[in-house]
Amino acid sequence: MNAERDLSPLTPGVVRALTDKLYEKRKVAALEIEKLVREFVAQNNTSQIKHVIQILSQEFALSQHPHSRKGGLIGLAACSIALGKDSGLYLKELIEPVLTCFNDADSRLRYYACEALYNIVKVARGSVLPHFNVLFDGLSKLAADPDPNVKSGSELLDRLLKDIVTESNQFDLVGFIPLLRERIYSNNQYARQFIISWILVLESVPDINLLDYLPEILDGLFQILGDNSKEIRKMCEVALGEFLKEIKKNPSSVKFAEMANILVIHCQAADDLIQLTAMCWMREFIQLAGRVMLPYSSGILTAVLPCLSYDDRKKNIKEVANVCNQSLMKLVIPEDDEMDEAKPSMTIPAEPISEESLSKPEAVTTGESQLNELDVTALNQPLFFSCSCERIQVTLNLDGIVQVLDYHLSDTSIGMMTRIAVLKWLYHLYIKTPRKMFRHTDSLFPILLRTLSDESDEVILKDLELLAEIASSPAGQTEEGQGPSDGSDVRPGSVELHVPARAGQLSSSSTKGLECSPSTPTMNSYFYKFMINLLKRFSSEKKLLENRGAFIIRQLCLLLNAENIFHSMADILLREEDLKFASTMVHTLNTILLTSSELFQLRNQLKDLKTPESRNLFCCLYRSWCHNPVTTVSLCFLTQNYKHAYDLIQKFGDLEVTVDFLTEVDKLVQLIECPIFTYLRLQLLDVKNNPYLIKALYGLLMLLPQSSAFQLLSHRLQCVPNPELMQTTDSTKPSTSFKRTAASNIDYTELLQHFEKVQNKHLEARHQRAGRAEQLDRRVVL
């Protein structure tokens, strides 16, 4: 710039001093400018004031010469000081050239720009608020400046600006939020620190309601929470803690729905602090907002369910996730089953969950003091929701929830506690919304059956509870001529079965000719489907039958009607084509029937055969029990059909006696010595009225080789008293056992013929298997 150029009202001396490389000379020039501007102010000469500012801006501050730019900056600061309270009239002209210098490559010049702007802002005070966004934008850049002096100068200016905002009630929050939302995603450590410091300041100002705009910045806050700097993480933690306090104080003004998905995302964060904090927020949101959160259930479950299987290293997250899960589950109510997703949703009271309805886990502890406050307060203080009386529109997205639950149950890598939680959720949904849930039953059925092979007994128990609910729920009963799927899609690759609408008809090729199930009114069309599939599973997974078969069936007898279970399985096994499996399954069922405490009532029902129902059950069991000769005899012993037992044993001479056969006879002898057959052993005292019982036992004795079982039964029979010695005055009375048998109207001749027919099938099947094995051996030799 030509120093001799006419820049009046600035004198040539002032112009030369402003462009001098020495700071002291520039300072002297600035004092002259201040004096000049004061005179113009006194004269109210606004045109000259504008002219001076324009010269300092265009000819100096924006000059290409570095020393001229420095002179322009100090000159503009001098103008502001001279203007005093009137500087607000010229702030745009004063600030813009200074902010331009914030981007200068020379660090010293950037420092002088900070100094100049500090002086301008200090004089203008509240008048700078209309220009706050540009000031904030410039400061946010300097906050990350590599030069320590520049950073120090920007911090000084930053503190001044914060003081002004705190004192004023004219801050334009609406205009500031877009800039804050943009800057909050900065990855620079110092820029993040700058942003958080401003959020804390704005949050502390009573007249500024930053909570209304929290959805705009919440995601950025959680990202900053993952910063590598402990100091920044702590600051962000404090800021989030303050917001959460405000939310709990004023829940009626909180935009819960707009922040739900943000929390869902960060509840799945890899960073433990982010995940724990987001989970704590989610817990508070569910408890405070109530059913407002229900439409976001699928996303919440996606985030929460995996956390339930965390180990002790993430105990805090696990405990909070557990509360979230329980709280969310309680939001599903029977009214949700009445709402049709295709129609406008009903209005349900948005009531929060009371503290008493939640289980209270141990207080979450962490090394961060603020998180202690976040985690503990919600469980130790009563919850209030001022808008709980309002009615809001909510819709339960059941399809989305079921999809999430199905995914987590199908994932073999998922933890045990997560699988249990999924099964609890499905059970809860079948209880609260059965009508809608049965639309998903066909797609859920295969995975629920596969879950029976789980390694955890607790998982299997929950799975059985769920399957029992499906099989007994009135909502699962289909009308005549309709399938149970109600149009829902069957998963590809799943076993497709045709379940009868009426108990008594089966149209599956695998169960052709099957007799009717005795389903009681508590059972629905899914009950028989469940029994069919369960036996198919046992057939395809021999280890499942060996290791868990008895456990599963016993639990089902507790959960459902034991008579129905045995009756339906006997029906299905009656036409089972795999005879070896049928024999094994019958043996398993018989062992359960004779030894399990859960079957005490059913055993008593079969023991006397007093009712038509009990006789019908005996005949049904008998026909299937014929797959295994020894179990058939044991059933006759249980039902006190001693003559028929003797007749069966007489037929054993025509059977192929194998080692397995003799092993089963051995086990039957052992069972006779058990408490279950105490009544049978006592009946040996009445020799005259129980001759066929003694004959049947002698028949078993003759079948056995001279083993330990032979000795055991032989000793027992040696204890049978002489009928002459046991004769009493009542001996002429008819035998009660014969009376019961005669009154039962059971065609034992037909049953015996059925036994022979089944045994012939087994013999033929064994010969076929032996033939195939011989052919295979020949191929191997060749």
Side-chain angles (χ1 to χ4, degrees):
M1 184 183 73
N2 186 1
E4 301 301 325
R5 181 180 173 186
D6 182 19
L7 295 175
S8 57
L10 300 183
T11 63
V14 169
V15 171
R16 283 194 299 272
L18 277 178
T19 58
D20 198 278
K21 63 180 180 178
L22 294 177
Y23 172 76
E24 292 301 327
K25 291 187 176 181
R26 295 197 300 274
K27 186 175 181 180
V28 171
L31 291 173
E32 290 295 324
I33 292 172
E34 180 183 344
K35 181 179 178 182
L36 179 64
V37 172
R38 286 185 187 276
E39 293 176 358
F40 291 148
V41 170
Q43 299 168 6
N44 198 23
N45 192 343
T46 56
S47 59
Q48 283 291 69
I49 295 173
K50 289 182 179 180
H51 185 54
V52 170
I53 293 173
Q54 185 180 9
I55 291 173
L56 292 171
S57 173
Q58 299 298 324
E59 302 296 333
F60 290 89
L62 301 178
S63 169
Q64 296 297 319
H65 194 276
H67 297 311
S68 294
R69 293 201 295 275
K70 294 173 185 177
L73 290 171
I74 197 171
L76 289 171
C79 286
S80 179
I81 293 170
L83 288 167
K85 62 180 181 179
D86 294 333
S87 61
L89 301 173
Y90 310 93
L91 276 177
K92 186 176 185 298
E93 293 81 1
L94 290 169
I95 290 174
E96 285 184 353
V98 178
L99 289 174
T100 301
C101 293
F102 275 13
N103 300 317
D104 200 284
D106 186 352
S107 61
R108 290 295 299 169
L109 205 140
R110 295 197 301 274
Y111 173 78
Y112 287 132
C114 282
E115 187 179 57
L117 191 56
Y118 178 86
N119 288 319
I120 294 171
V121 172
K122 186 177 181 180
V123 172
R125 300 298 294 183
S127 301
V128 301
L129 290 178
H131 308 277
F132 177 81
N133 279 11
V134 293
L135 296 175
F136 181 89
D137 185 53
L139 275 175
S140 65
K141 296 174 182 176
L142 290 188
D145 199 284
D147 188 273
N149 291 325
V150 176
K151 190 181 297 183
S152 176
S154 69
E155 289 173 357
L156 194 65
L157 174 58
D158 181 52
R159 285 196 293 271
L160 174 62
L161 202 56
K162 285 173 181 172
D163 289 341
I164 294 171
V165 170
T166 304
E167 296 168 359
S168 174
N169 58 0
Q170 298 179 349
F171 181 72
D172 182 14
L173 184 61
V174 176
F176 172 62
I177 288 298
L179 180 61
L180 179 61
R181 185 177 60 237
E182 176 190 343
R183 288 287 183 265
I184 203 169
Y185 287 105
S186 172
N187 291 323
N188 183 275
Q189 179 178 333
Y190 298 105
R192 285 180 163 183
Q193 190 171 18
F194 172 78
I195 293 291
I196 291 295
S197 68
W198 267 102
I199 290 175
L200 284 169
V201 167
L202 295 175
E203 176 62 17
S204 66
V205 179
D207 295 332
I208 297 177
N209 186 12
L210 196 57
L211 193 62
D212 286 345
Y213 302 94
L214 184 57
E216 308 265 0
I217 61 173
L218 186 62
D219 178 60
L221 282 172
F222 273 104
Q223 293 202 26
I224 293 176
L225 189 60
D227 196 90
N228 294 327
S229 168
K230 288 185 178 180
E231 183 180 356
I232 293 174
R233 287 164 74 96
K234 183 64 179 178
M235 288 178 64
C236 190
E237 213 176 323
V238 171
L240 286 167
E242 291 299 318
F243 277 122
L244 195 56
K245 285 181 182 178
E246 287 296 315
I247 288 171
K248 288 191 280 188
K249 287 179 182 178
N250 306 289
S252 59
S253 61
V254 178
K255 300 174 182 177
F256 290 105
E258 294 183 23
M259 294 182 278
N261 285 328
I262 297 173
L263 294 183
V264 166
I265 293 170
H266 293 289
C267 280
Q268 302 172 71
D271 185 281
D272 286 357
L273 180 58
I274 294 177
Q275 189 177 26
L276 177 58
T277 307
M279 200 68 73
C280 292
W281 275 62
M282 184 67 78
R283 178 191 62 198
E284 300 299 334
F285 273 35
I286 296 172
Q287 294 179 2
L288 291 171
R291 288 178 58 85
V292 173
M293 301 296 289
L294 205 56
Y296 307 93
S297 298
S298 58
I300 296 172
L301 287 174
T302 300
V304 167
L305 287 173
C307 302
L308 302 178
S309 293
Y310 283 173
D311 55 25
D312 288 342
R313 289 173 295 179
K314 294 186 176 182
K315 183 181 178 182
N316 296 345
I317 300 173
K318 178 180 179 179
E319 290 176 346
V320 181
N322 187 47
V323 177
C324 289
N325 183 57
Q326 293 179 42
S327 302
L328 187 64
M329 190 179 293
K330 293 178 189 299
L331 296 180
V332 182
I333 56 178
E335 284 79 0
D336 290 315
D337 203 32
E338 300 168 4
M339 291 186 285
D340 192 344
E341 290 96 337
K343 297 177 182 179
S345 58
M346 291 175 59
T347 55
I348 304 295
E351 296 181 358
I353 298 172
S354 63
E355 182 186 9
E356 291 76 9
S357 65
L358 299 174
S359 61
K360 295 183 180 180
E362 297 176 8
V364 180
T365 56
T366 176
E368 310 286 348
S369 60
Q370 186 62 32
L371 273 181
N372 279 333
E373 186 174 357
L374 282 177
D375 297 340
V376 177
T377 51
L379 296 179
N380 295 335
Q381 294 180 0
L383 300 174
F384 299 100
F385 193 25
S386 60
C387 66
S388 61
C389 295
E390 295 181 9
R391 300 178 69 83
I392 57 172
Q393 288 190 342
V394 293
T395 301
L396 178 66
N397 180 16
L398 196 62
D399 292 350
I401 293 175
V402 172
Q403 186 178 2
V404 171
L405 296 174
D406 191 337
Y407 170 79
H408 283 88
L409 195 60
S410 304
D411 187 356
T412 56
S413 65
I414 210 72
M416 179 189 72
M417 296 308 296
T418 297
R419 296 198 300 277
I420 291 173
V422 168
L423 292 169
K424 285 182 177 179
W425 256 103
L426 289 170
Y427 182 82
H428 183 73
L429 291 172
Y430 270 104
I431 294 294
K432 299 295 183 181
T433 59
R435 185 179 63 83
K436 289 183 178 179
M437 276 304 295
F438 267 95
R439 301 172 187 172
H440 301 276
T441 300
D442 283 345
S443 62
L444 288 171
F445 222 67
I447 181 61
L448 294 178
L449 287 166
R450 286 199 298 272
T451 305
L452 291 175
S453 303
D454 198 275
E455 296 178 355
S456 166
D457 285 350
E458 193 173 351
V459 171
I460 294 176
L461 279 173
K462 294 299 178 186
D463 192 32
L464 289 172
E465 287 180 14
L466 175 56
L467 286 166
E469 176 60 29
I470 292 173
S472 60
S473 173
Q477 188 61 56
T478 56
E479 297 179 4
E480 183 176 347
Q482 292 182 346
S485 64
D486 194 25
S488 59
D489 294 330
V490 178
R491 192 180 292 184
S494 64
V495 179
E496 185 173 356
L497 292 166
H498 301 284
V499 183
R502 290 193 302 258
Q505 293 183 356
L506 282 182
S507 56
S508 173
S509 59
S510 62
T511 56
K512 55 186 176 183
L514 211 55
E515 294 184 6
C516 66
S517 168
S519 297
T520 65
T522 59
M523 301 299 155
N524 58 39
S525 51
Y526 279 94
F527 172 78
Y528 220 55
K529 180 178 182 179
F530 176 31
M531 292 298 104
I532 293 171
N533 279 274
L534 180 59
L535 288 174
K536 282 181 176 290
R537 193 126 193 108
F538 284 149
S539 177
S540 61
E541 288 190 38
K542 298 299 189 292
K543 287 187 177 180
L544 177 63
L545 178 58
E546 293 172 7
N547 301 331
R548 299 288 180 81
F551 171 73
I552 290 171
I553 294 170
R554 288 172 61 186
Q555 292 302 318
L556 286 174
C557 287
L558 288 174
L559 294 166
L560 297 170
N561 185 291
E563 179 183 349
N564 278 45
I565 290 171
F566 272 77
H567 205 318
S568 59
M569 285 190 170
D571 279 344
I572 298 165
L573 290 170
L574 186 62
R575 300 293 184 241
E576 176 59 51
E577 296 178 359
D578 185 349
L579 298 181
K580 188 175 182 180
F581 165 71
S583 178
T584 304
M585 193 66 223
V586 163
H587 181 267
T588 301
L589 290 171
N590 186 67
T591 303
I592 296 169
L593 177 63
L594 293 179
T595 61
S596 298
S597 58
E598 295 86 353
L599 277 297
F600 175 78
Q601 185 176 352
L602 188 59
R603 282 196 297 271
N604 282 345
Q605 182 180 344
L606 288 168
K607 187 185 295 183
D608 298 323
L609 299 180
K610 292 180 179 178
T611 64
E613 291 79 14
S614 62
R615 293 192 287 272
N616 180 44
L617 176 61
F618 165 71
C619 291
C620 177
L621 295 181
Y622 180 94
R623 294 178 185 279
S624 289
W625 262 230
C626 286
H627 283 297
N628 190 306
V630 180
T631 61
T632 312
V633 171
S634 69
L635 180 64
C636 291
F637 282 158
L638 174 65
T639 56
Q640 303 183 67
N641 283 299
Y642 301 134
K643 183 181 185 305
H644 192 70
Y646 172 70
D647 292 339
L648 286 173
I649 293 172
Q650 289 292 96
K651 298 289 183 181
F652 282 8
D654 300 330
L655 302 180
E656 182 180 1
V657 178
T658 63
V659 174
D660 291 338
F661 178 87
L662 292 175
T663 301
E664 291 191 22
V665 175
D666 189 298
K667 290 179 180 178
L668 176 56
V669 171
Q670 304 293 335
L671 274 174
I672 291 172
E673 296 298 320
C674 291
I676 292 170
F677 282 114
T678 300
Y679 67 91
L680 181 148
R681 298 195 300 272
L682 288 173
Q683 286 172 352
L684 291 174
L685 294 172
D686 189 2
V687 178
K688 186 175 181 180
N689 290 325
N690 294 289
Y692 288 106
L693 170 58
I694 298 172
K695 286 185 177 183
L697 293 177
Y698 269 110
L700 291 178
L701 186 67
M702 294 304 105
L703 285 170
L704 284 168
Q706 294 197 19
S707 59
S708 59
F710 177 91
Q711 298 297 330
L712 186 65
L713 185 55
S714 177
H715 290 158
R716 174 64 66 185
L717 289 171
Q718 288 173 16
C719 297
V720 175
N722 187 327
E724 300 286 336
L725 299 176
M726 298 299 292
Q727 191 171 16
T728 65
T729 56
D730 296 329
S731 62
T732 58
K733 291 184 178 180
S735 169
T736 56
S737 63
F738 290 142
K739 278 186 177 180
R740 179 189 58 74
T741 304
S744 63
N745 297 323
I746 295 175
D747 187 351
Y748 287 98
T749 302
E750 190 273 334
L751 292 180
L752 200 59
Q753 291 174 353
H754 177 78
F755 175 81
E756 291 176 344
K757 182 179 179 181
V758 172
Q759 290 310 308
N760 288 333
K761 284 186 178 180
H762 277 269
L763 182 61
E764 183 181 350
R766 281 196 294 270
H767 288 166
Q768 289 178 354
R769 288 197 297 270
R772 286 195 294 269
E774 185 178 352
Q775 290 178 2
L776 183 61
D777 290 341
R778 287 177 181 174
R779 290 177 184 175
V780 172
V781 171
L782 292 175

